[in-house]
């Protein structure tokens, strides 16, 4: 269809498509600052809202995948910084901002986001005292997660070197401010967590505004600290600054210098502790020996022990008397027994196999046995036998065995 002047007329869809193309090509990636208005979360997980300032309003949508990654929930009146791309929704002929990232802006917005995350992590138990671990007395090494160019690292290294120069320090450099800082800190924590020569971590930076310290309020840092198998000391900002990292860490230090004081003992304190422990051990040993010596003296001086020599002398006398009586009795027994043995010996001599052997007979046994052989069938050719004579014995090997 043509317009009255002969120019072609566009349909609504065609015009909308052309505007959509122009808008999306012109604004593929844009940052927008505005105040959240009428945020609505749908069962689908998508969040619809408007961003406004004093003079204008723009619709925005946060798709479910993006909304799930946000560390806070957009609330009415919260000032936010949004990154996204502009597109046009043809059914309404309305352009909207497709949100990719969002972060709170200003003290009010950041504080609201901070309180939301604190409540979430507290409900999960990340702040519970029961999960916090004691710090090692003398660590093999100290890991430090901070900016290599900041004052915090200089303070930490100075204090550690003064207190205990023998403890190695491993620095994991990280961004501590600005875009990507939270991810950088979390990655550095993970890097040191895998080392077996580091027993304690100091994570932090020097002081600053709420915006400057915001990386240590991010969920990714909180979860990295909670997952770290090594005890963590948080050292963020000045004494009055408190971040979510402080709540999750095993120990919170008010400053980086204080964290270094906590992390390692002073050399003199270590020596004194060892000396005191040695003296206590020696004193305990001496006390134990003295107590046992006293118990031994008490036993030796007891009535029962003193009676032992007397009792032994009595027993000895009784034995002497018994020996005397036994000697008299034994003489009589021996005399009678001698007569009896002489008679039995004469009889035994007459019945002794040796007497038979003396007359030219012998006793044959299998080698290694004492049972006499009575039949040739009990051995075979090659068997070893032993022949007992009246005057000694002979060893022989059977060459032939005849059975009769």
């Amino acid at each position: 269809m043509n317009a009255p002047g002969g120019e072609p007329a566009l349909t609504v869809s065609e015009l909308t498509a052309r505007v959509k193309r122009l808008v999306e090509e012109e604004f593929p990636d844009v940052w927008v600052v505005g105040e959240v208005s009428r945020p609505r979360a749908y069962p689908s997980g998508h969040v619809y809202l408007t961003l406004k300032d004093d003079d204008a309003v723009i619709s925005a949508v946060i798709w479910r995948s993006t909304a799930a990654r946000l560390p806070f929930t957009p609330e009415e009146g919260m000032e936010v910084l949004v990154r996204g791309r502009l597109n046009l929704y043809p059914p309404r002929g309305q352009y909207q901002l497709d949100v990719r990232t969002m972060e709170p802006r200003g003290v009010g917005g950041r504080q609201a986001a901070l309180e939301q995350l604190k409540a979430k992590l507290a409900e999960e138990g990340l702040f519970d005292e029961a999960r916090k671990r004691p710090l090692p007395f003398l660590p093999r090494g100290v890991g430090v997660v901070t900016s290599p160019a900041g004052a915090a690292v200089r303070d930490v290294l100075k204090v550690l070197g003064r207190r205990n120069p023998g403890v190695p320090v491993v620095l994991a450099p990280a961004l501590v401010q600005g875009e990507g800082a939270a991810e950088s800190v979390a990655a550095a924590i993970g890097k040191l967590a895998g080392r077996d020569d580091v027993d304690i971590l100091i994570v932090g930076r020097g002081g600053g505004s709420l915006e400057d310290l915001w990386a240590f309020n991010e969920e990714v840092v909180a979860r990295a600290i909670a997952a770290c198998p090594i005890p963590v000391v948080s050292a963020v900002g000045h004494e009055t600054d408190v971040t979510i990292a402080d709540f999750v860490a095993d120990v919170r230090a008010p400053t980086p210098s204080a964290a270094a004081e906590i992390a390692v003992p002073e050399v003199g304190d270590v020596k004194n502790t060892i000396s005191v422990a040695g003296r206590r051990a020696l004193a305990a040993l001496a006390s134990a020996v003295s107590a046992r010596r006293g118990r031994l003296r008490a036993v030796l001086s007891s009535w029962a022990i003193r009676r032992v020599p007397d009792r032994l002398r009595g027993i000895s006398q009784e034995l002497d008397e018994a020996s005397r009586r036994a000697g008299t009795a034994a003489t009589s027994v021996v005399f009678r027994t001698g007569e009896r043995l002489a008679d039995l010996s004469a009889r035994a001599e007459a019945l002794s196999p040796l007497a038979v052997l003396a007359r030219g007979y012998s006793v044959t046994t299998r080698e290694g046995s004492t049972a006499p052989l009575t039949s040739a069938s009990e051995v075979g050719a090659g068997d070893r036998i032993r022949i007992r004579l009246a005057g000694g014995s002979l060893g022989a090997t059977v060459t032939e065995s005849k059975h009769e």
Side-chain angles (χ1 to χ4, degrees):
M1 179 182 295
N2 293 328
E7 297 179 6
L10 299 175
T11 64
V12 174
S13 297
E14 290 172 338
L15 177 60
T16 300
R18 291 175 66 175
V19 173
K20 177 179 173 65
R21 185 168 59 254
L22 289 174
V23 168
E24 294 180 357
E25 288 177 356
E26 182 67 22
F27 301 100
D29 187 55
V30 62
W31 288 90
V32 179
V33 176
E35 181 182 315
V36 174
S37 178
R38 295 184 297 172
R40 299 186 308 279
Y42 282 74
S44 63
H46 308 321
V47 178
Y48 296 89
L49 53 92
T50 59
L51 295 175
K52 66 178 183 177
D53 57 21
D54 293 339
D55 302 313
V57 173
I58 182 174
S59 297
V61 58
I62 309 174
W63 303 118
R64 179 177 59 189
S65 58
T66 301
R69 295 197 304 271
L70 290 182
F72 67 100
T73 301
E75 295 181 345
E76 184 74 31
M78 182 182 289
E79 186 181 12
V80 293
L81 175 63
V82 175
R83 182 181 184 183
R85 76 184 174 90
L86 206 59
N87 62 31
L88 188 142
Y89 185 53
R92 294 183 182 175
Q94 176 183 340
Y95 74 92
Q96 64 183 12
L97 188 62
D98 183 350
V99 177
R100 301 297 176 82
T101 64
M102 175 183 288
E103 58 186 63
R105 188 171 178 82
V107 175
R110 287 187 179 273
Q111 193 62 42
L114 179 62
E115 294 303 322
Q116 288 180 7
L117 183 57
K118 282 173 61 178
K120 174 183 176 182
L121 298 181
E123 185 177 355
E124 293 183 24
L126 267 65
F127 301 164
D128 291 352
E129 289 297 323
R131 60 165 295 278
K132 301 195 176 186
R133 299 155 293 189
L135 304 182
F137 171 68
L138 186 60
R140 290 172 297 175
V142 177
V144 180
V145 175
T146 191
S147 168
V153 70
R154 294 193 295 272
D155 293 342
V156 168
L157 293 177
K158 179 180 178 180
V159 174
L160 291 177
R162 170 176 55 80
R163 287 180 64 80
N164 204 320
V167 177
V169 180
V170 181
L171 175 64
L175 296 173
V176 294
Q177 183 175 335
E179 185 178 358
E183 290 74 13
S184 178
V185 170
I189 292 172
K191 182 178 181 180
L192 290 182
R195 297 180 64 115
D196 56 7
D197 58 344
V198 172
D199 291 332
I200 187 171
L201 256 59
I202 297 175
V203 179
R205 53 154 292 159
S209 65
L210 179 62
E211 288 78 8
D212 294 338
L213 306 180
W214 192 253
F216 297 91
N217 285 321
E218 294 277 7
E219 184 173 358
V220 65
V221 172
R223 296 201 181 278
I225 293 175
C228 183
I230 303 170
V232 176
V233 178
S234 66
V236 182
H238 300 305
E239 189 167 355
T240 56
D241 298 319
V242 180
T243 65
I244 285 180
D246 296 324
F247 291 107
V248 182
D250 297 286
V251 175
R252 185 240 174 189
T255 64
S257 296
E261 296 276 353
I262 293 171
V264 298
E266 202 272 330
V267 172
D269 293 341
V270 175
K271 292 179 179 178
N272 183 61
T273 299
I274 294 173
S275 177
V276 169
R279 289 197 298 272
R280 288 178 177 173
L282 289 175
L285 180 60
S287 177
V289 170
S290 177
R292 284 161 175 75
R293 184 179 289 119
R295 288 170 58 188
L296 180 60
R297 282 196 295 266
V299 170
L300 293 176
S301 63
S302 67
W303 179 85
I305 293 297
R306 291 199 306 272
R307 288 282 296 160
V308 169
D310 295 340
R311 181 58 181 156
L312 290 177
R313 284 192 290 271
I315 293 173
S316 179
Q317 187 174 353
E318 292 174 6
L319 289 174
D320 290 342
E321 181 63 22
S323 177
R324 184 187 63 76
R325 291 196 299 269
T328 302
T331 301
S332 176
V333 171
V334 167
F335 179 76
R336 291 196 301 272
T337 302
E339 291 180 336
R340 178 64 176 162
L341 287 176
D343 181 58
L344 292 175
S345 178
R347 295 182 185 183
E349 182 67 25
L351 299 174
S352 172
L354 295 178
V356 178
L357 295 179
R359 295 197 297 272
Y361 293 94
S362 65
V363 177
T364 304
T365 62
R366 186 186 295 273
E367 186 72 41
S369 174
T370 59
L373 298 175
T374 59
S375 172
S377 63
E378 296 181 35
V379 294
D383 288 346
R384 291 284 300 172
I385 59 174
R386 182 155 295 279
I387 303 169
R388 176 67 185 272
L389 306 173
S393 64
L394 301 174
T397 301
V398 176
T399 58
E400 182 181 4
S401 176
K402 292 184 177 181
H403 312 295
E404 297 181 358

